[in-house]
Amino acid sequence: MKVPGLKLICLAFLFIHTRILVCYGAPDDAVDDYTDETPAKPPPPEMDNCNGVFLSYAFTSRTKALPLLKNVSAQPWTFNAMATVVNSGTEEVKGWKMYIGFQHKEILVSATNAVLVDGDVDFPAAVGNGTTLAGYPKADLKTSIDTAGDFNQIAVQVELKGSMFGLGEKATPMPKTISLRNDGWRCPTPTKYKTYMHACCKRDPKFKVNSNRKSKFAARQNGDLTFTYDVVKSYEGSYEAQVTMDNSSPIGRLDRWNLTWEWMRGEFIYSMKGAYTPRFDISDCVYGLAGRYLTGFDFTNVMNCEKKPTITDLPLTKANDTQIGKIPYCCKNASLLPPQMDPSRARAIFQLRVYKLPPDTPPTILYPPQRWNITGVINARYHCGPPIRVDPSEFPNPKGFDAKVYAIASWQVVCNMTRAEKRKTRCCVSFSAYYSDGAIPCSTCACGCDNIDTDKCNPDKPAMHLPPDALLLPSENRTAKTKAFAKLKKKGIPRKLPCPDNCGVSINWHINTDHKAGWSARMTLFNWQEAPFVDWFVAVEMKKAYPDYDDVFSFNGTKKLKGIKNTIFFQSLKDLNYLVEMKNGSKPSDPKVPGKQQSVISFIKKKTPNIKIRKGDGFPSKVYFNGEECALPRSFPSSGHRSPLSIASFILISITTTFLLITNRFI
């Protein structure tokens, strides 16, 4: 579907540069025939009236793609669009980022002059819920004042190509909105037309700008996790860089971290110190652009030639290795702890030698890798922004002089913790209480249903309540107890039971006591994996009970977390820092036994005398294990009184369980 009327709007942007030439004088080699023709159309008046950053999105065309289907909602289309960012203000925009609120199941196939901000996403990328683009290779937009109106330096146009689904032939698939995602800028609701929208973003008057800052580079930003990419030496055709990782979040953590980025200009890693790539592969160099340009180069000792390498830390045993170790803060088994646990283990550093390809061989041409992403085992998830050029980093003089050494060029990558999508977390929480004889287990498929045979269980059925002792068993051994408890409570038993939570770690929060002066809870950690957790921690958000936290008896606990509200931090005692792995039972026929640690936690009611424990005030609103936010149940234990026949009930459950185990051995 072509949109001819839009051509005038698009051409208006292309004429901006022409208008500048007319006003300020064309260069010597320009054709001198402007006086004989009609003057070029000026840009949209909205941009002339914008003293800030002008954004626009122009939908240009879409065409039906194969396969051709009768189902309109399933019909794929290819589309083309143009996004434009113009600095029409008086302040340079450093590291521009534009959000486009796609809403029609779009799949972005390419974007010129920009990269996707999501570090782990590459083209083609599903962007149907919106996406953010960042400038590359030109990340900064100068002002018209500083460039004598050079449109190429104050603006960027991003050609977008992709696919989308649904909508009739006459519909116009525009995004919901567009906005500038840089800190300190506010964008109004865009003005919308059928095939075009624009917005003028202005400085937020409440945002504090350091007026004394004179640097031409962006100021360093704070984040949960930050990377600094410092070029410390530069040669013809190669350079040496140092990468520094800093964990600033009191509840952020990484275990067995893997860092990835993407080389955009054919670079490759020749060697590293303080880290390594698990894959040593030179085939991409030999058969790729490097082999074509670097004739005669010996690739034998090259570490990695992948466009998107994976990098990880060295083990402790390599810390003093003079060839690949001997780097400060390196070699900690790829573990990065919160600073309050151990400041020396909240930082990691490694160095690398990078080779470049023509035309980037001069020492002054330097580009950092893009699309940074880092992952851990059961840890926080991070969303990383693009590399932003910052002031060169300072280092102490290696010869001991009272002087500073500066990096040749420095970039910063800021990553912040994100919340896991539903059923994509890796830990879960169950609730129980002294006043209820049933426990609310982790939610069905709380950690996803991968590797679960959904023909034998129902992934959409809510989890069934359990007797508390069933929480000690692996999910595959709970069937008999679940059915017996349901019969006791006169609850229906579905033909297919709900699927298990499928989590590697679970935490039980049990209300232990409740009296006039205070109350207590018992927190139990279960490790259902085959590997232990060392130096673990749990952070618990208590919206109403937080002020009256008193003490914890078998863990270390503190309320002093910088920047985190209403959260209590628990960690292992010094000599009990292992949450051991799951092990086999005493007999081959016995269920496996999870690794377990627990402690009672006491609260007083001095500041919260009206707290209602049985109404749910004594249960956490968020729980983090090693930085990973755990899935919580959707309800609390019943506030009714425990049945006076509870002991007899459990005897009955045991008898019924035994019977079911005999008659349903293969369930």
Side-chain angles (χ1 to χ4, degrees):
M1 180 180 70
K2 299 292 181 181
V3 190
L6 184 64
K7 292 182 178 178
L8 292 177
I9 298 173
C10 295
L11 287 173
F13 287 101
L14 298 177
F15 285 141
I16 294 174
H17 184 59
T18 305
R19 189 183 71 162
I20 294 170
L21 291 175
V22 173
C23 295
Y24 293 98
D28 295 337
D29 57 350
V31 179
D32 189 15
D33 58 357
Y34 292 101
T35 56
D36 297 330
E37 293 187 2
T38 304
K41 285 192 66 173
E46 295 87 355
M47 194 180 77
D48 282 349
N49 297 328
C50 178
N51 183 7
V53 177
F54 184 81
L55 305 178
S56 70
Y57 179 93
F59 170 76
T60 54
S61 67
R62 69 173 177 142
T63 308
K64 277 188 177 180
L66 297 174
L68 302 179
L69 305 174
K70 293 182 179 180
N71 184 352
V72 175
S73 63
Q75 176 61 51
W77 296 74
T78 61
F79 76 94
N80 294 275
M82 176 80 76
T84 305
V85 186
V86 183
N87 183 6
S88 55
T90 58
E91 176 185 351
E92 182 175 354
V93 179
K94 299 181 185 296
W96 68 265
K97 291 179 285 186
M98 178 181 180
Y99 174 78
I100 303 176
F102 291 114
Q103 57 178 332
H104 300 294
K105 301 179 183 178
E106 289 90 344
I107 297 174
L108 204 57
V109 175
S110 66
T112 62
N113 301 319
V115 294
L116 296 171
V117 167
D118 296 312
D120 57 345
V121 175
D122 197 1
F123 297 118
V127 295
N129 292 322
T131 192
T132 301
L133 299 172
Y136 182 84
K138 183 174 68 175
D140 304 336
L141 299 178
K142 298 183 181 297
T143 68
S144 181
I145 299 170
D146 293 336
T147 62
D150 186 350
F151 185 68
N152 290 324
Q153 296 187 62
I154 70 172
V156 64
Q157 290 182 315
V158 181
E159 295 181 15
L160 303 170
K161 293 183 179 181
S163 301
M164 60 176 56
F165 295 87
L167 300 179
E169 293 193 26
K170 295 183 179 180
T172 305
M174 292 289 287
K176 287 182 181 179
T177 187
I178 54 175
S179 62
L180 189 70
R181 284 299 171 93
N182 294 59
D183 292 338
W185 292 86
R186 297 176 62 182
C187 299
T189 301
T191 302
K192 300 179 181 179
Y193 302 95
K194 185 177 181 181
T195 59
Y196 173 76
M197 65 172 63
H198 66 80
C200 177
C201 304
K202 297 185 178 181
R203 264 294 184 190
D204 184 349
K206 297 181 181 180
F207 187 79
K208 295 181 180 180
V209 180
N210 187 356
S211 57
N212 297 322
R213 181 176 170 79
K214 303 299 182 182
S215 173
K216 63 179 181 178
F217 303 117
R220 294 178 187 246
Q221 303 294 312
N222 295 321
D224 294 328
L225 180 71
T226 58
F227 295 90
T228 306
Y229 191 85
D230 294 308
V231 176
V232 292
K233 295 180 181 179
S234 187
Y235 315 98
E236 184 73 20
S238 68
Y239 65 84
E240 294 180 21
Q242 177 168 293
V243 178
T244 304
M245 302 166 50
D246 284 303
N247 179 20
S248 302
S249 171
I251 60 172
R253 176 193 178 121
L254 286 163
D255 292 291
R256 287 181 274 169
W257 56 260
N258 283 314
L259 170 66
T260 61
W261 62 47
E262 186 169 345
W263 297 114
M264 307 299 288
R265 308 179 72 85
E267 301 97 328
F268 60 89
I269 300 173
Y270 184 83
S271 60
M272 300 183 77
K273 294 189 71 174
Y276 72 103
T277 60
R279 179 175 178 138
F280 283 62
D281 188 356
I282 64 173
S283 58
D284 288 349
C285 284
V286 174
Y287 299 109
L289 291 175
R292 189 184 311 170
Y293 283 108
L294 304 180
T295 56
F297 189 93
D298 183 6
F299 293 102
T300 305
N301 295 320
V302 170
M303 175 174 280
N304 187 279
C305 294
E306 293 177 290
K307 180 179 176 65
K308 197 171 183 178
T310 297
I311 299 166
T312 192
D313 193 17
L314 288 171
L316 286 167
T317 55
K318 298 295 182 182
N320 294 317
D321 190 304
T322 55
Q323 291 186 332
I324 60 175
K326 280 287 185 181
I327 300 293
Y329 300 101
C330 89
C331 315
K332 297 190 289 286
N333 291 327
S335 177
L336 206 64
L337 299 183
Q340 77 271 10
M341 287 186 73
D342 188 345
S344 68
R345 297 174 64 186
R347 166 175 282 193
I349 293 178
F350 63 88
Q351 298 173 349
L352 66 161
R353 178 76 176 266
V354 179
Y355 273 79
K356 307 180 292 181
L357 301 183
D360 298 341
T361 51
T364 54
I365 299 180
L366 300 167
Y367 292 97
Q370 298 288 319
R371 296 183 180 136
W372 292 55
N373 185 50
I374 191 163
T375 59
V377 183
I378 296 185
N379 298 130
R381 323 273 180 119
Y382 292 93
H383 177 273
C384 299
I388 303 297
R389 185 79 180 266
V390 294
D391 289 333
S393 298
E394 299 177 359
F395 302 99
N397 190 293
K399 297 182 179 179
F401 299 138
D402 185 16
K404 296 178 180 178
V405 177
Y406 291 87
I408 296 170
S410 298
W411 287 266
Q412 185 191 42
V413 176
V414 178
C415 306
N416 287 307
M417 295 168 60
T418 62
R419 194 169 189 174
E421 298 178 21
K422 185 179 179 181
R423 294 192 169 186
K424 288 189 177 180
T425 186
R426 290 168 288 194
C427 61
C428 65
V429 179
S430 62
F431 289 158
S432 58
Y434 74 91
Y435 51 78
S436 177
D437 54 11
I440 299 178
C442 292
S443 302
T444 302
C445 294
C447 298
C449 276
D450 296 342
N451 304 320
I452 291 180
D453 186 356
T454 53
D455 290 334
K456 296 182 179 179
C457 64
N458 191 334
D460 301 315
K461 194 77 174 175
M464 297 174 64
H465 290 194
L466 302 171
D469 62 324
L471 298 176
L472 299 168
L473 298 173
S475 56
E476 61 268 21
N477 299 106
R478 295 179 183 177
T479 301
K481 285 184 176 288
T482 301
K483 289 183 175 181
F485 192 73
K487 285 185 177 181
L488 178 68
K489 294 298 182 180
K490 298 181 180 180
K491 301 290 186 180
I493 301 175
R495 185 177 62 85
K496 286 201 305 183
L497 294 182
C499 292
D501 55 74
N502 201 29
C503 295
V505 172
S506 64
I507 299 172
N508 174 246
W509 185 272
H510 177 80
I511 301 298
N512 216 30
T513 61
D514 182 22
H515 49 87
K516 185 176 180 180
W519 59 282
S520 66
R522 183 181 69 241
M523 183 171 66
T524 307
L525 283 63
F526 298 98
N527 180 9
W528 304 100
Q529 299 196 128
E530 296 180 355
F533 290 94
V534 186
D535 298 322
W536 58 267
F537 73 82
V538 176
V540 178
E541 181 187 82
M542 306 289 293
K543 286 186 176 180
K544 295 185 178 180
Y546 170 80
D548 279 336
Y549 163 71
D550 180 41
D551 200 2
V552 61
F553 299 97
S554 300
F555 303 153
N556 286 322
T558 181
K559 295 197 301 183
K560 298 178 180 179
L561 294 181
K562 184 178 179 181
I564 306 293
K565 295 181 179 180
N566 303 326
T567 301
I568 309 168
F569 186 90
F570 302 104
Q571 68 181 93
S572 56
L573 296 174
K574 184 177 180 181
D575 296 326
L576 298 171
N577 58 331
Y578 273 79
L579 179 59
V580 299
E581 67 276 16
M582 182 168 64
K583 297 181 179 180
N584 293 324
S586 301
K587 300 177 182 178
S589 58
D590 289 345
K592 290 188 175 182
V593 179
K596 184 179 71 170
Q597 285 204 29
Q598 67 177 14
S599 178
V600 173
I601 305 162
S602 65
F603 295 81
I604 56 177
K605 293 184 179 180
K606 184 177 181 181
K607 297 180 181 178
T608 57
N610 298 320
I611 191 169
K612 295 179 175 58
I613 300 300
R614 297 195 180 202
K615 295 292 185 181
D617 292 351
F619 291 95
S621 51
K622 288 183 181 179
V623 175
Y624 299 86
F625 177 79
N626 282 1
E628 173 87 0
E629 185 173 351
C630 304
L632 298 178
R634 297 180 181 179
S635 60
F636 303 115
S638 171
S639 59
H641 294 289
R642 178 190 285 270
S643 168
L645 300 177
S646 58
I647 297 177
S649 298
F650 279 115
I651 295 174
L652 177 61
I653 290 174
S654 299
I655 295 172
T656 310
T657 298
T658 304
F659 174 75
L660 287 171
L661 284 172
I662 295 171
T663 58
N664 298 293
R665 291 179 61 188
F666 302 103
I667 293 179

